[in-house]
Amino acid sequence: MSYNNILTEVKEQVLYITINRPKQLNALNKETIDELSTAFNKAESDADVRVIILTGSGDKAFVAGADIKEFADFSIEQGKQLAAQGHEKLFNLVENLSKPVIAAINGFALGGGLELAMSCHIRIASDNAKVGLPEVTLGVIPGYGGTQRLAQLAGKGKAMEMVMTGGMIKADEAMEWGLVNHVTFASELMEKADELANKIKKNSPVAIGKAITAINAGFKDGINGFDVEIEQFGLAFGTEDFKEGTTAFIEKRKADFPGK
Ligand code: CAA
């Protein structure tokens, strides 16, 4: 499948998705969101993909936000639709994907860019990365889940500060805030992402999917995360991966998970 705004490549069970609009600092226009949605949906059902690494092309930006030029003359109704469709098509999709998604933040992650990174399960930043939610400088607020996910990751006080000031923080501070898990030299960013992907892909894909469901459940309204954990834990006992994992342990060999 060919795309206009993203590049995709599968290598050794890792799908690399690169947002490829470097001249616009990889800003998320509608077509890019649609293409990302298609790529993530395909990855979900592709047995050859065990981990996804998402990054931006060029050395300047992961994603500099939603495409401001595209929504500058939108009405109230169009604004609501932009946010609602974005949540559904991409941001909630990524967060709830059963396969781990690692964001490799290679520069600016602003507005919708930081919101996209925060939808991913794990974030790594290069030391030149700068992240922020500058929407209020444009007279709007974060609309792709930023008000909720930033508060979940960094706490309500930090979220209030970042959103109200519209300011950016550097990679080291983002790590102190709990926004990113690791900071690397820019030249080592993809290496670090690969290292994590390689560790993860040795483990049971089915169990990882269940863990994502259980962890996410605690952040959803009206759902008891502990109940979801009990349910998912129990279901794991009915999988081929569980048989293989426990048998391999008893036979003192490495497990080779079928992913079923
Ligand atoms: N949308 C559309 N185009 C963008 C863009 C965006 N979010 N960010 C950058 N670009 C474009 C610029 O317009 C410019 O294009 P032209 O050459 O055609 O003019 C090109 O990318 C390069 O950008 P700059 O010349 O501005 O580069 P810089 O190095 O001087 O500045 C920057 C870099 C600080 C990231 C600056 O580009 C910037 O502030 N970008 C906007 C960041 C922003 O406000 N993001 C939030 C968007 S709103 C949002 O995301 C809403 C939501 O939650 C749903």
Side-chain angles (χ1 to χ4, degrees):
M1 165 132 199
S2 74
Y3 299 105
N4 295 323
N5 304 277
I6 63 171
L7 306 170
T8 59
E9 185 186 12
V10 179
K11 272 191 289 180
E12 295 171 13
Q13 298 181 306
V14 179
L15 168 64
Y16 297 83
I17 304 180
T18 306
I19 301 166
N20 190 31
R21 300 182 75 212
K23 285 190 186 146
Q24 301 302 307
L25 304 187
N26 302 320
L28 297 174
N29 61 356
K30 182 178 179 306
E31 195 183 27
T32 306
I33 289 189
D34 287 345
E35 290 183 1
L36 284 168
S37 182
T38 303
F40 279 108
N41 271 313
K42 275 184 67 187
E44 180 74 338
S45 56
D46 184 345
D48 287 340
V49 173
R50 291 215 167 167
V51 181
I52 298 147
I53 296 176
L54 176 67
T55 193
S57 74
D59 52 12
K60 202 166 164 186
F62 172 72
V63 170
D67 193 317
I68 300 166
K69 293 160 193 164
E70 206 176 58
F71 67 63
D73 62 358
F74 272 15
S75 64
I76 293 174
E77 206 39 55
Q78 286 172 306
K80 270 190 200 165
Q81 263 185 28
L82 180 78
Q85 288 177 1
H87 281 232
E88 189 195 321
K89 276 190 199 166
L90 183 59
F91 296 78
N92 293 348
L93 171 72
V94 170
E95 183 171 71
N96 294 306
L97 213 71
S98 73
K99 301 183 182 183
V101 186
I102 301 171
I105 305 172
N106 57 313
F108 289 113
L110 301 175
L114 177 57
E115 292 174 297
L116 183 56
M118 291 192 297
S119 299
C120 297
H121 303 120
I122 296 173
R123 284 153 295 282
I124 308 168
S126 59
D127 56 0
N128 66 335
K130 285 187 177 169
V131 310
L133 294 177
E135 285 87 346
V136 297
T137 69
L138 299 164
V140 68
I141 68 166
Y144 286 151
T147 59
Q148 306 306 299
R149 293 193 180 98
L150 180 58
Q152 287 168 3
L153 285 166
K156 189 173 167 185
K158 297 279 193 202
M160 288 285 186
E161 181 180 329
M162 180 175 269
V163 172
M164 287 180 196
T165 62
M168 296 180 209
I169 57 172
K170 291 184 181 164
D172 284 343
E173 204 176 353
M175 191 156 91
E176 278 169 32
W177 281 32
L179 269 184
V180 303
N181 298 23
H182 304 277
V183 177
T184 71
F185 292 120
S187 58
E188 292 170 10
L189 179 67
M190 293 312 282
E191 213 175 294
K192 182 70 190 173
D194 282 337
E195 183 191 313
L196 274 176
N198 289 337
K199 275 189 192 162
I200 291 169
K201 78 183 189 196
K202 288 184 189 141
N203 297 323
S204 157
V206 179
I208 284 170
K210 292 187 181 317
I212 291 171
T213 302
I215 293 169
N216 279 342
F219 297 93
K220 291 186 175 153
D221 272 350
I223 294 180
N224 184 312
F226 290 99
D227 289 344
V228 174
E229 182 186 274
I230 290 165
E231 176 71 13
Q232 294 297 317
F233 180 81
L235 286 172
F237 284 68
T239 67
E240 290 180 32
D241 276 10
F242 175 74
K243 292 258 172 319
E244 168 60 9
T246 47
T247 307
F249 176 81
I250 290 162
E251 292 175 355
K252 298 191 187 298
R253 63 172 172 81
K254 282 210 169 101
D256 179 13
F257 291 108
K260 290 179 193 162

